[in-house]
Amino acid sequence: MPNTPEKPLILVIDDEEALRDGCRQVLEKCGYEVITAEQGIEGIKLARERMPDMVFVDLKMPHMSGMEIIEIMSRDLPDIVLVMITGFASIVSAVEAIQKGAYDYLPKPFNPDQLRALTKRGLDHRNLKIETKRLREEKDRMEKNFITFVSHEMRSPLVVIRQYIEALNEIAGKSFDKDVKEIIERCRKRVQSLEEMVEHWLDISRIENGTLAQQKVSLSLASIISRSVEEMTPLCRKKGISLETNISKKLPQITGDAESLVRVFTNIIGNATKYTPEGGKITITVKNDEYYTTASIADTGMGIPLDKLPLIFEPFFRCRGKDEKIIGSGLGLTFCKKIMESHNGGIEVSSKEGKGTTFVLTFPVSDNAAKGNTGHTSKSI
Amino acid sequence: MTIKKKILLIDDDKDFLFATKLILEKGGYEVFMAEDGKTGVEVWKSIAPDLAIIDMMMETWGEGFSVLNKIRATDTGKETPLFMLSAVDLQGPYNSFEPPPEFPKVNKVLHKPIKADDLLRMIAQELSGK
Ligand SMILES: Nc1ncnc2c1ncn2[C@@H]1O[C@H](COP(=O)(O)OP(=O)(O)OP(=O)(O)O)[C@@H](O)[C@H]1O
Ligand SMILES: [Mg+2]
């Protein structure tokens, strides 16, 4: 921000010499530095070189219209406060200019007081904007540092404790009696679930500040599901729950990050196994229409009470709270929801207590996803 | 009595070194430890181990890799099995991490914590396969 500590720099772009001179006189008297340009191209060039704090642009000019100038500048030089000078109070152009990124408009004829007041307000606005941006950057930086801190300083002790437990079992496991073994195993499980909680929390924070590594490519949902099913089959078998897939043959490609999508499915299938008693069934069905591919994961488990349904995607929320006998952090579904959002997709749930729960994931098909994405840059790295 | 095979462990976490050393000793190996990359390379040169396990993320990202490069560049280090350790997300998006092809050969990438059985089995496999 080269101009802030010194005199604010103001650029006036107008083809009328009288107006340029008039503005210059008024604004210089207020202690601002003023530069002027006669037409668009020259004005934009000058703005790029000198980075003024504020620019006044006349709407009606030969060659390049004020509207075009506003459009280019608000895109290329977003920190500059832009004001459109409109000929005869044309409210339509004023509104258009503001939509295109102008801060305000100034209808001709205007008097020195009006010019002064608007300039002061514009500059205040700019300072506020810069300050907000600085604070936001500071906050992002702190968050990132905190994430790095947590991922190193909290994770390593947990990893080490588990490694010690491994060592303990290895060097003396044979001589432990049943109770000792049980205590050690319980410790191991608790540490592991704490580690998973840290892991989940880190992932969610990374999605939030855009540092979760995601590689969005065109991929087939069927392969994602078969990877997840493969991963979860041993657990289902162990728990005596059957796992069935029903995938339509001709699925269109979707755009996504394979690793995180596999985790979305393993999380949801994992929940289904956790909250479904022995003998239950999990059914995965994938269908598609022209625009969406829909995957539903239905279980025959304990279900979720109606009043708890809206809350299950909230961080740390668990339906049975502290009474929950099954281990978990309540972050699994938060992760799934964030990942689905980052894929322009959706996640919904329906459930009947005692009967079962169905999660429905919707993905826009690739072509569509690309369209939906225009103008919005993906934050993935 | 057969001579014990020598394993070098390089990691900047003392406790991790100690825990892993206990496991390896129980498995019948002679264990050498180094807490930083530089010492690791020196120990490597002086004892010529049969296998080394190197943490990928000591202090700075990449220190593990530079140690790996240096070891591979020594006479004894060309063919010796080397394992890399990573503590990155167990089930995270990085779990598919594989060193890029231009990196010197790594025989295995292991995630922390390592199960004692798995570790001993993989080492035995690697050492008998040669
Ligand atoms: N398929 C399901 N059937 C019944 N209840 C479910 C199901 N899936 C989720 N829930 C409820 O929603 C809550 C939140 O689920 P979520 O996956 O976010 O957390 P969790 O499973 O408790 O822990 P973790 O973070 O380890 O996944 C669970 O605690 C459970 O009460
Ligand atoms: Mg869960």
Side-chain angles (χ1 to χ4, degrees):
Chain A
M1 269 110 272
N3 307 306
T4 326
E6 309 129 37
K7 281 183 178 180
L9 181 65
I10 295 172
L11 168 64
V12 180
I13 309 175
D14 200 312
D15 55 331
E16 259 178 75
E17 196 181 348
L19 195 131
R20 290 199 305 270
D21 286 346
C23 288
R24 178 197 296 282
Q25 274 179 24
V26 173
L27 295 175
E28 277 181 352
K29 241 184 237 155
C30 300
Y32 306 131
E33 187 183 343
V34 180
I35 48 179
T36 60
E38 230 183 286
Q39 39 95 0
I41 305 280
E42 185 198 338
I44 291 171
K45 194 164 156 269
L46 204 56
R48 287 213 175 101
E49 281 167 15
R50 302 280 314 267
M51 292 304 272
D53 300 279
M54 197 164 168
V55 179
F56 288 88
V57 185
D58 188 21
L59 173 62
K60 283 225 163 54
M61 284 189 292
H63 310 301
M64 186 185 268
S65 82
M67 204 62 82
E68 279 173 90
I69 301 174
I70 296 268
E71 215 174 331
I72 294 171
M73 284 202 192
S74 74
R75 192 185 56 219
D76 295 357
L77 309 164
D79 281 343
I80 300 179
V81 176
L82 302 168
V83 174
M84 177 72 96
I85 303 173
T86 50
F88 29 90
S90 151
I91 200 76
V92 179
S93 325
V95 170
E96 190 187 341
I98 287 169
Q99 276 167 352
K100 292 204 158 118
Y103 165 66
D104 207 344
Y105 69 103
L106 186 59
K108 274 198 268 193
F110 52 85
N111 61 37
D113 282 343
Q114 285 169 313
L115 178 62
R116 271 193 291 268
L118 180 52
T119 309
K120 178 157 188 321
R121 188 155 56 77
L123 290 173
D124 286 347
H125 170 77
R126 178 185 144 88
N127 290 339
L128 207 66
K129 225 168 92 177
I130 290 170
E131 180 68 359
T132 313
K133 193 171 147 197
R134 199 187 57 75
L135 286 173
R136 188 174 308 122
E137 281 166 3
E138 172 87 14
K139 178 176 157 278
D140 284 352
R141 206 177 42 79
M142 277 165 60
E143 263 173 24
K144 273 187 195 138
N145 285 347
F146 186 64
I147 289 173
T148 319
F149 170 80
V150 171
S151 80
H152 287 109
E153 306 305 313
M154 277 173 83
R155 198 155 45 177
S156 7
L158 299 176
V159 166
V160 163
I161 293 170
R162 281 173 64 202
Q163 199 66 54
Y164 269 131
I165 294 173
E166 282 295 316
L168 190 60
N169 280 328
E170 186 63 27
I171 61 179
K174 291 205 181 72
S175 55
F176 292 151
D177 63 22
K178 206 169 138 276
D179 288 348
V180 179
K181 276 197 181 127
E182 168 122 20
I183 292 171
I184 294 174
E185 180 56 14
R186 278 173 189 254
C187 289
R188 193 193 63 76
K189 280 207 172 127
R190 291 303 288 264
V191 173
Q192 181 171 358
S193 68
L194 181 55
E195 203 182 315
E196 280 166 4
M197 178 137 122
V198 170
E199 220 61 74
H200 276 151
W201 180 85
L202 277 170
D203 283 329
I204 289 164
S205 316
R206 288 196 191 108
I207 305 172
E208 276 174 355
N209 79 0
T211 50
L212 182 85
Q214 292 200 70
Q215 279 178 335
K216 301 265 172 77
V217 292
S218 174
L219 49 81
S220 100
L221 198 55
S223 74
I224 298 290
I225 293 176
S226 73
R227 269 180 64 186
S228 319
V229 166
E230 204 177 300
E231 205 172 300
M232 300 310 286
T233 301
L235 184 67
C236 291
R237 208 166 282 153
K238 199 172 128 199
K239 296 215 151 175
I241 295 168
S242 67
L243 182 56
E244 194 184 291
T245 54
N246 236 319
I247 301 178
S248 135
K249 286 278 169 314
K250 279 198 232 114
L251 284 181
Q253 299 281 105
I254 59 161
T255 303
D257 173 57
E259 296 310 319
S260 27
L261 289 180
V262 167
R263 289 180 58 203
V264 168
F265 281 95
T266 53
N267 257 305
I268 294 175
I269 302 170
N271 280 346
T273 58
K274 267 161 86 170
Y275 306 106
T276 300
E278 209 181 315
K281 187 174 170 187
I282 302 171
T283 316
I284 303 176
T285 313
V286 188
K287 291 186 201 140
N288 70 286
D289 61 22
E290 211 181 324
Y291 304 105
Y292 294 101
T293 305
T294 314
S296 69
I297 301 104
D299 65 50
T300 57
M302 57 173 76
I304 301 168
L306 198 60
D307 59 327
K308 304 272 165 71
L309 268 185
L311 302 170
I312 61 167
F313 298 104
E314 295 295 318
F316 302 108
F317 181 82
R318 309 197 68 210
C319 294
R320 277 149 289 269
K322 286 202 174 65
D323 298 335
E324 188 73 80
K325 287 193 187 65
I326 305 150
I327 287 183
S329 61
L331 288 170
L333 288 175
T334 314
F335 174 82
C336 295
K337 182 160 187 172
K338 300 233 178 235
I339 290 292
M340 288 309 291
E341 279 165 3
S342 78
H343 282 79
N344 299 321
I347 179 167
E348 269 165 40
V349 60
S350 58
S351 186
K352 240 202 173 100
E353 257 193 288
K355 289 265 190 291
T357 305
T358 303
F359 283 89
V360 180
L361 306 178
T362 43
F363 297 89
V365 306
S366 260
D367 188 25
N368 233 43
K371 269 184 228 151
N373 250 342
T374 42
H376 146 306
T377 44
S378 161
K379 264 185 153 184
S380 49
I381 49 167
Chain B
M1 201 189 109
T2 51
I3 301 166
K4 285 182 176 174
K5 298 246 163 124
K6 289 181 265 184
I7 296 181
L8 170 62
L9 279 177
I10 311 175
D11 193 314
D12 61 351
D13 189 316
K14 277 201 187 76
D15 282 308
F16 192 83
L17 282 178
F18 184 55
T20 316
K21 175 181 177 243
L22 293 175
I23 295 172
L24 295 175
E25 282 177 349
K26 182 70 184 177
Y29 299 101
E30 187 177 358
V31 183
F32 299 83
M33 301 184 292
E35 270 181 53
D36 61 80
K38 196 163 161 278
T39 322
V41 178
E42 279 162 19
V43 178
W44 174 274
K45 286 181 183 154
S46 65
I47 60 157
D50 298 282
L51 185 144
I53 301 172
I54 307 157
D55 185 29
M56 193 145 51
M57 311 226 275
M58 286 174 292
E59 276 157 54
T60 48
W61 244 109
E63 183 176 348
F65 284 122
S66 94
V67 172
L68 182 69
N69 269 312
K70 286 185 188 136
I71 289 180
R72 279 285 182 239
T74 62
D75 286 343
T76 48
K78 298 213 160 41
E79 294 299 326
T80 319
L82 300 179
F83 290 1
M84 285 306 260
L85 279 178
S86 82
V88 287
D89 311 26
L90 267 178
Q91 333 99 316
Y94 307 97
N95 74 342
S96 55
F97 175 84
E98 291 290 335
E102 67 269 25
F103 271 99
K105 188 176 166 232
V106 172
N107 300 66
K108 278 233 151 49
V109 177
L110 307 173
H111 295 289
K112 288 177 174 183
I114 329 164
K115 285 223 169 297
D117 301 353
D118 292 348
L119 181 63
L120 294 175
R121 185 173 36 79
M122 284 188 281
I123 293 175
Q125 243 170 33
E126 208 60 56
L127 291 179
S128 67
K130 299 286 131 156

